[in-house]
């Protein structure tokens, strides 16, 4: 009996060890430095040695700042992402190291192995796996990351993915502090510095993503690597980090994901769409079949039988065909996975993709004003207004001949109907080669606006002719993109006071725009905000 008890105890201990191994913590070291910082040159060697001594248990990333030397090349290679993480922790001096967001925030010289050992003893509630691959022909690094919660995690969780250059060695020091060797240098945060929203995680909740980056400012592609971490953006606590491994074993065998609904207008009055969705295989088995369901406002419209061969991490854009639906003020288009490989998907948490479609407001007798600010390639920009029901192009414009110039057009609408507005860019990069944007207003109210749209972007508006159309419109004030998950651009005439209010009516920002202002909305959190620009008031949605 005693021997049997020992066997049972040993078996339970083995299970416990396996469970603990699944959630073995990897610490995140976020280090802030600069090539002109004397104390950085003094403390970085010991910091690098500590990270190296714990290479299997520490994911490190170094952000280079703009001070004391404004010419730090590793800062200049990606100013936006470096500044973003500086803002997360309000870093105002270097050297500065943050461990797991909240465990340590001080000079790296104060870090010790005993502190690292203590932190490594804290089990993580999340298991993460990550791998990456490099396409030297296309100059692209692709990162695959997965995670699963073993216990409940509450908070505004986000996934961050960082591409780093493991080692950079200069023959002569690039800055006045004499340092020539640099490690774990941040090159890019994917998909952006704002991260990917996850939210709360219940037990067994799971995520899987693939991100790609066409690299630039890389010294040696052999030194490219990737790390990832999950962080509570409210408290700054990092629950888990991970490093890239040569091979990633998926959590599940039959696991598909749908994402990135495309070919759908965000404003609609026709009740017609031809959506597409990206289908990805995150399972260890090849994905050979999938049943997809299309719904609008909870009503099932059709099912699609897809077949093909998707190896692990491979994706395919699936054309879902035509759909028709009764347009409401707000409409939710959903694409759901019903089954994969003839069986239930083993991880249903990423089986639904949602796209919000706004019902186009009925514009009654309003003066329609189109504003286009061209980028560096004005000759590539054209646009057209089409009667949706007849297919007739009733107004069109472009191309233009002045770069970085603002054009204002008045659109004459003469009949009641649903109309499609489409803007085209022959270069395939929207109005992003410069500070270009477009916006369509009706009676001073913005119907839609943007600038980042690839080859084209379309939206719909409903119009009813009315005799009295004399009214004042402010054709020079716009905010875009709307909705946004990061930066908000404000365009206005001259100096205007900008005030930003949250849903509770609290003032969260006040400043002055001199024709153009950018505000990083991610620091205020998701929600609907009121933007007061001079005497004009607008609303913006932050995802």
């Amino acid at each position: 009996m005693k021997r049997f008890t020992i066997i049972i105890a040993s078996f339970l201990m083995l299970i416990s060890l396996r469970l603990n191994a699944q959630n073995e913590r990897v610490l995140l070291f976020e280090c802030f430095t600069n090539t002109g910082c004397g104390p950085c040159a003094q403390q970085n060697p010991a910091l690098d040695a500590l990270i190296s001594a714990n290479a299997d248990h520490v994911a490190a990333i170094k952000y280079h700042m703009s001070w004391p030397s404004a010419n730090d090349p590793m800062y200049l290679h990606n100013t936006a992402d470096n500044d973003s993480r500086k803002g997360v922790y309000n870093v105002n001096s270097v050297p500065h190291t943050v461990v797991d967001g909240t465990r340590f925030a001080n000079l790296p010289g104060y870090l010790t192995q005993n502190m690292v050992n203590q932190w490594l003893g804290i089990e993580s509630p999340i298991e993460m796996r990550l791998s990456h691959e490099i396409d030297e022909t296309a100059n692209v690094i692709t990162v695959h990351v997965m995670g699963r919660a073993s216990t409940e995690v509450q908070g505004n969780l986000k996934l961050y993915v960082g591409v780093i250059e493991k080692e950079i060695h200069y023959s002569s020091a690039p800055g006045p502090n004499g340092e020539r060797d640099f490690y774990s240098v941040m090159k890019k945060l994917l998909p952006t510095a704002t991260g990917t929203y996850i939210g709360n995680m219940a037990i067994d909740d799971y995520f899987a993503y693939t991100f790609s980056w066409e690299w630039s400012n890389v010294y040696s592609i052999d030194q490219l690597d990737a790390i990832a971490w999950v962080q509570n953006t409210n408290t700054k606590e990092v629950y888990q980090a991970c490093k890239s491994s040569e091979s990633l074993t998926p959590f599940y065998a039959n696991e598909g994901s749908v994402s990135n609904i495309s070919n759908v207008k965000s404003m609609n009055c026709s009740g017609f769409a031809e959506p597409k969705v990206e289908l990805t295989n995150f399972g260890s088995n090849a994905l050979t079949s999938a049943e997809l369901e299309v719904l609008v406002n909870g009503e099932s419209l059709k099912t699609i039988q897809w077949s093909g061969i998707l190896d692990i991490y491979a994706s395919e854009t699936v054309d879902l065909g035509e759909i028709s639906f009764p347009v409401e003020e707000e409409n939710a288009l959903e694409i759901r996975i019903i089954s994969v490989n003839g069986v239930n998907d083993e991880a249903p948490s990423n089986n639904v993709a949602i796209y919000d479609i706004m019902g186009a407001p009925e514009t009654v007798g309003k003066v329609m004003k189109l504003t286009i600010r061209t980028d560096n390639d004005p000759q590539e920009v054209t646009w057209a207004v089409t009667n949706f029901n007849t297919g007739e192009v009733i107004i069109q414009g472009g191309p233009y001949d002045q770069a970085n110039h603002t054009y204002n057009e008045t659109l004459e609408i003469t009949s009641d109907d649903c109309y499609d507005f489409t803007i085209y860019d022959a270069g395939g990069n929207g109005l992003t080669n410069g500070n270009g944007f477009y916006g369509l207003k009706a009676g001073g109210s913005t119907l839609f606006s943007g600038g980042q749209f690839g080859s084209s972007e379309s939206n719909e508006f409903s119009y009813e002719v009315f005799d009295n159309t004399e009214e004042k419109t402010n054709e020079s004030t716009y905010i875009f993109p709307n909705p946004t998950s990061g930066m908000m651009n404000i365009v206005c005439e001259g100096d205007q006071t900008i005030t930003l209010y949250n849903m509770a009516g609290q003032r969260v920002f006040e400043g002055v725009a001199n024709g153009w202002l950018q505000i990083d909305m991610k620091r205020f959190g998701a929600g609907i905000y009121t933007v007061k620009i001079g005497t004009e008031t607008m609303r913006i949605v932050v995802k």
Side-chain angles (χ1 to χ4, degrees):
M1 182 67 180
K2 181 177 180 180
R3 182 171 178 272
F4 180 73
T5 303
I6 293 174
I7 292 174
I8 292 296
S10 300
F11 177 70
L12 293 175
M13 183 178 295
L14 179 60
I15 292 177
S16 177
L17 288 172
R18 285 179 177 174
L19 289 174
N20 287 334
Q22 285 182 343
N23 298 295
E24 182 178 341
R25 182 173 292 275
V26 175
L27 301 174
L28 175 68
F29 277 43
E30 295 182 271
C31 313
F32 298 82
T33 187
N34 179 267
T35 58
C37 160
C40 297
Q42 297 169 2
Q43 298 185 41
N44 277 338
L47 172 64
D48 294 331
L50 181 65
I51 293 171
S52 178
N54 296 276
D56 293 336
H57 308 289
V58 170
I61 186 167
K62 289 193 176 183
Y63 311 107
H64 283 246
M65 300 289 97
S66 60
W67 25 253
S69 172
N71 296 318
D72 185 323
M74 288 157 285
Y75 168 75
L76 296 175
H77 287 167
N78 189 337
T79 60
D81 289 359
N82 281 310
D83 286 341
S84 177
R85 293 308 288 179
K86 174 189 70 176
V88 169
Y89 300 112
N90 297 315
V91 175
N92 54 25
S93 64
V94 288
H96 187 84
T97 294
V98 178
V99 179
D100 276 0
T102 57
R103 300 191 195 285
F104 179 90
N106 209 325
L107 296 171
Y110 289 111
L111 282 166
T112 67
Q113 183 63 53
N114 286 338
M115 297 166 72
V116 172
N117 293 341
Q118 178 183 353
W119 296 329
L120 288 175
I122 303 172
E123 187 177 353
S124 171
I126 301 172
E127 180 186 1
M128 294 180 67
R129 301 175 184 178
L130 183 148
S131 68
H132 75 274
E133 55 205 44
I134 291 176
D135 185 338
E136 296 186 32
T137 303
N139 290 345
V140 169
I141 179 171
T142 300
V143 182
H144 312 285
V145 58
M146 302 177 178
R148 182 171 61 185
S150 58
T151 59
E152 185 180 42
V153 187
Q154 293 286 329
N156 190 38
L157 271 60
K158 280 191 173 183
L159 169 70
Y160 295 90
V161 176
V163 176
I164 62 174
E165 198 161 352
K166 292 183 291 185
E167 297 184 17
I168 298 174
H169 302 288
Y170 289 86
S171 57
S172 59
N177 73 353
E179 279 188 288
R180 294 187 301 170
D181 303 312
F182 302 90
Y183 301 90
S184 304
V185 177
M186 189 280 297
K187 308 307 296 187
K188 185 72 175 75
L189 298 177
L190 301 177
T192 67
T194 60
T196 300
Y197 180 74
I198 296 176
N200 299 326
M201 295 189 75
I203 296 175
D204 289 333
D205 270 1
Y206 159 84
F207 61 80
Y209 293 97
T210 292
F211 304 108
S212 294
W213 175 51
E214 185 177 352
W215 65 68
S216 59
N217 300 315
V218 171
Y219 292 93
S220 172
I221 60 174
D222 294 334
Q223 294 296 323
L224 283 179
D225 203 352
I227 67 170
W229 64 95
V230 173
Q231 184 170 28
N232 185 324
T233 59
N234 293 332
T235 66
K236 305 297 187 293
E237 180 180 0
V238 173
Y239 294 105
Q240 181 65 302
C242 66
K243 305 178 67 174
S244 185
S245 60
E246 291 185 2
S247 61
L248 185 155
T249 302
F251 287 102
Y252 304 102
N254 297 296
E255 206 284 276
S257 170
V258 284
S259 62
N260 300 328
I261 296 175
S262 59
N263 204 43
V264 178
K265 302 166 188 175
S266 60
M267 297 195 72
N268 189 295
C269 56
S270 64
F272 176 84
E274 297 177 287
K276 299 179 181 181
V277 70
E278 186 175 351
L279 176 65
T280 304
N281 179 26
F282 284 111
S284 57
N285 291 339
L287 187 60
T288 58
S289 66
E291 183 179 8
L292 308 178
E293 183 180 19
V294 182
L295 307 92
V296 173
N297 300 328
E299 180 182 353
S300 179
L301 301 183
K302 64 193 308 186
T303 57
I304 303 294
Q305 302 294 331
W306 172 89
S307 62
I309 298 178
L310 292 178
D311 293 327
I312 183 173
Y313 312 134
S315 298
E316 181 178 315
T317 299
V318 180
D319 190 335
L320 302 171
E322 299 179 359
I323 60 170
S324 297
F325 57 94
V327 180
E328 300 179 8
E329 185 175 349
E330 297 181 1
N331 307 272
L333 167 64
E334 297 181 48
I335 313 299
R336 297 179 181 175
I337 293 179
I338 304 300
S339 65
V340 293
N341 293 338
V343 299
N344 290 335
D345 191 296
E346 295 176 49
S349 59
N350 58 359
N351 283 3
V352 179
I354 300 176
Y355 190 96
D356 293 324
I357 304 173
M358 298 297 296
E362 187 172 86
T363 302
V364 180
K366 300 291 185 181
V367 174
M368 304 288 293
K369 294 284 188 178
L370 172 65
T371 298
I372 294 180
R373 178 175 171 82
T374 57
D375 60 6
N376 296 333
D377 302 303
Q379 72 283 355
E380 297 178 348
V381 180
T382 57
W383 56 271
V385 176
T386 305
N387 184 308
F388 184 86
N389 291 308
T390 67
E392 177 189 3
V393 175
I394 63 168
I395 314 171
Q396 56 188 331
Y400 297 96
D401 54 11
Q402 295 187 56
N404 305 305
H405 180 76
T406 299
Y407 292 87
N408 293 304
E409 314 262 9
T410 299
L411 308 186
E412 297 292 339
I413 310 295
T414 58
S415 61
D416 301 352
D417 224 319
C418 176
Y419 294 89
D420 172 271
F421 172 83
T422 303
I423 185 167
Y424 304 92
D425 182 76
N429 60 350
L431 298 171
T432 60
N433 188 16
N435 290 324
F437 73 93
Y438 78 91
L440 184 65
K441 285 191 171 185
S445 298
T446 301
L447 298 182
F448 37 81
S449 59
Q452 299 181 353
F453 55 81
S455 298
S456 66
E457 184 168 75
S458 297
N459 277 295
E460 296 176 7
F461 65 91
S462 178
Y463 197 86
E464 181 180 340
V465 178
F466 188 68
D467 289 338
N468 183 15
T469 60
E470 292 297 325
E471 55 188 290
K472 294 182 69 175
T473 66
N474 186 348
E475 61 191 39
S476 60
T477 303
Y478 289 95
I479 58 175
F480 68 93
N482 188 10
T484 180
S485 57
M487 302 303 296
M488 172 180 69
N489 296 275
I490 297 175
V491 180
C492 59
E493 185 73 28
D495 293 338
Q496 298 285 353
T497 299
I498 309 299
T499 312
L500 184 66
Y501 300 91
N502 62 17
M503 289 181 288
Q506 301 167 321
R507 184 174 60 189
V508 296
F509 175 87
E510 188 170 47
V512 176
N514 183 8
W516 186 286
L517 180 67
Q518 282 191 328
I519 301 176
D520 187 359
M521 297 298 293
K522 69 178 182 297
R523 56 179 157 158
F524 305 122
I528 300 174
Y529 293 82
T530 300
V531 186
K532 187 175 181 182
I533 307 171
T535 58
E536 187 168 355
T537 299
M538 302 181 179
R539 304 184 84 186
I540 187 166
V541 178
V542 180
K543 294 182 178 180

